[in-house]
Amino acid sequence: MVAGGAGFVGSHLVDALLAAGESVVVLDNLCTGRRENLEPALATGRCTLVEADISDGLPPLDTCQTVWHLASPASPPDYGRLPIETLRVGAEGTRHLLEAAHRWQARFLVASTSEVYGDPQVHPQPETYWGHVNPIGWRSCYDEAKRYAEALTMAYHRAHGVDTRIVRIFNTYGPRMRADDGRVVSNFLCQALAGKPLTLYGTGDQTRSFQYVSDLVAGLLAWMDRGDALPANLGNPGEFTIRELADAVDALLGRPAERAWHPLPPDDPRQRKPDIDRARTLVGWQPVVPLAEGLARTAEWFRHATGRPA
Ligand code: UDP
């Protein structure tokens, strides 16, 4: 079962599970996911989409062997617009899925986030760092939902012996991101393709580490298969300022876009870079797609998705 399987990351995971010969049931309330993300999956005949909100409870389902919890708004504008839904899916949604995994004796994986580190004071961030989160800031609905989801997952593991996995996903990009989801990669690529200025927030000196979606999916599969119950970072350790990302988009399109400067949103983390030693050592995973190549593939997808000429 993949909760959130109609979303950007979830739908790529579903494709990979189907390619490995699995049958998949997707639960999604389509609040940020889209049915068209699942078109190739549904065409195989081995994927079922059940429109349901896991925060309210689960519909009747056959026993599943693995439960993947990727259900949540994940881009800052999305969780900013859906703060209560985001907290509920991290809390109630996670509890309902953990109850099902317990009942089915299924393995369970929750998609957590680099946001559990908040605006980190340790750099790069290892899993042992407890984070620096503003509990009442506008990002807190996401950060605290995911921190609670991690705590609940560890509680089911310790109290009921559920076979659990926690992955902390760093900034991820690729095909099927929504053009309007507001994240920096989709914004820059869509702006550049439309000949508009790139919107930089703050000075553009804040850093992020950008992971291509196929690398993340490989990490999810490896960690579910061979990881352990303690959290693992899944991200690309290559670190870029937002200015450098804008320059990479210019280089890709072969023409410099103008810059439009906007204020930095409150609590915007200054820097972010995963320490991935744990995933590398335990399951032999590391990202392989360089930023320039991932950006090119994503731009190509947005060209077709938006119907703009190459
Ligand atoms: N950002 C930006 N321009 C945009 C969108 C985002 O400069 O059009 C910045 C944002 O302030 C943050 C970084 O890019 O510092 C990454 O933002 P994103 O929303 O992609 O993810 P976050 O890591 O903040 O969750």
Side-chain angles (χ1 to χ4, degrees):
M1 179 218 286
V2 182
F8 157 51
V9 172
S11 63
H12 286 283
L13 173 67
V14 170
D15 289 344
L17 291 170
L18 292 168
E22 307 281 354
S23 298
V24 182
V25 55
V26 169
L27 298 188
D28 205 301
N29 70 353
L30 302 179
C31 76
T32 55
R34 290 177 302 184
R35 181 180 287 271
E36 62 252 41
N37 288 342
L38 284 175
E39 270 168 15
L42 294 170
T44 65
R46 286 183 290 118
C47 175
T48 316
L49 169 61
V50 180
E51 267 188 65
D53 189 338
I54 60 164
S55 301
D56 295 333
L58 301 193
L61 293 165
D62 292 337
T63 300
C64 297
Q65 288 172 329
T66 52
V67 176
W68 303 79
H69 181 6
L70 283 81
S72 179
S75 89
D78 282 345
Y79 58 70
R81 149 179 91 76
L82 299 167
I84 295 168
E85 291 84 347
T86 302
L87 280 156
R88 283 196 71 220
V89 77
E92 291 304 293
T94 305
R95 188 171 67 80
H96 292 136
L97 293 179
L98 279 163
E99 281 292 327
H102 181 32
R103 208 167 49 245
W104 293 334
Q105 299 195 321
R107 191 174 283 175
F108 170 90
L109 178 145
V110 62
S112 184
T113 170
S114 54
E115 284 284 326
V116 298
Y117 302 124
D119 188 4
Q121 294 174 317
V122 169
H123 193 74
Q125 293 82 52
E127 291 88 350
T128 47
Y129 177 49
W130 291 355
H132 180 227
V133 170
N134 176 355
I136 56 161
W138 78 275
R139 297 176 89 105
S140 66
C141 60
Y142 187 63
D143 303 5
E144 299 292 9
K146 293 293 190 181
R147 290 173 70 97
Y148 179 86
E150 288 197 10
L152 195 63
T153 300
M154 289 309 296
Y156 271 75
H157 176 69
R158 291 182 178 123
H160 294 310
V162 179
D163 189 9
T164 54
R165 306 279 185 271
I166 297 170
V167 291
R168 295 180 178 156
I169 300 174
F170 284 63
N171 295 64
T172 303
Y173 68 99
R176 299 184 186 153
M177 292 184 91
R178 293 195 338 266
D180 65 351
D181 92 349
R183 278 183 272 208
V184 68
V185 173
S186 43
N187 275 5
F188 282 5
L189 287 176
C190 292
Q191 289 159 351
L193 288 168
K196 292 183 180 159
L198 309 188
T199 51
L200 281 103
Y201 303 165
T203 61
D205 294 317
Q206 67 273 33
T207 68
R208 292 294 186 273
S209 301
F210 299 102
Q211 161 173 247
Y212 189 67
V213 66
S214 60
D215 283 333
L216 170 60
V217 169
L220 290 171
L221 294 171
W223 195 259
M224 183 64 124
D225 192 30
R226 304 186 300 284
D228 62 17
L230 295 177
N233 289 335
L234 293 180
N236 190 320
E239 183 183 10
F240 299 87
T241 66
I242 300 305
R243 282 173 191 260
E244 286 169 336
L245 179 70
D247 293 343
V249 169
D250 282 348
L252 175 68
L253 295 198
R255 54 172 190 265
E258 280 179 36
R259 308 288 190 254
W261 298 93
H262 295 266
L264 191 67
D267 297 327
D268 199 282
R270 271 173 302 106
Q271 53 183 4
R272 190 182 283 159
K273 171 185 162 100
D275 177 332
I276 60 165
D277 273 0
R278 234 173 89 68
R280 209 192 318 251
T281 310
L282 258 81
V283 303
W285 170 83
Q286 63 180 17
V288 294
V289 181
L291 181 66
E293 186 182 328
L295 284 178
R297 289 189 206 168
T298 311
E300 193 53 30
W301 184 82
F302 273 124
R303 277 189 185 109
H304 295 296
T306 56
R308 291 197 183 92

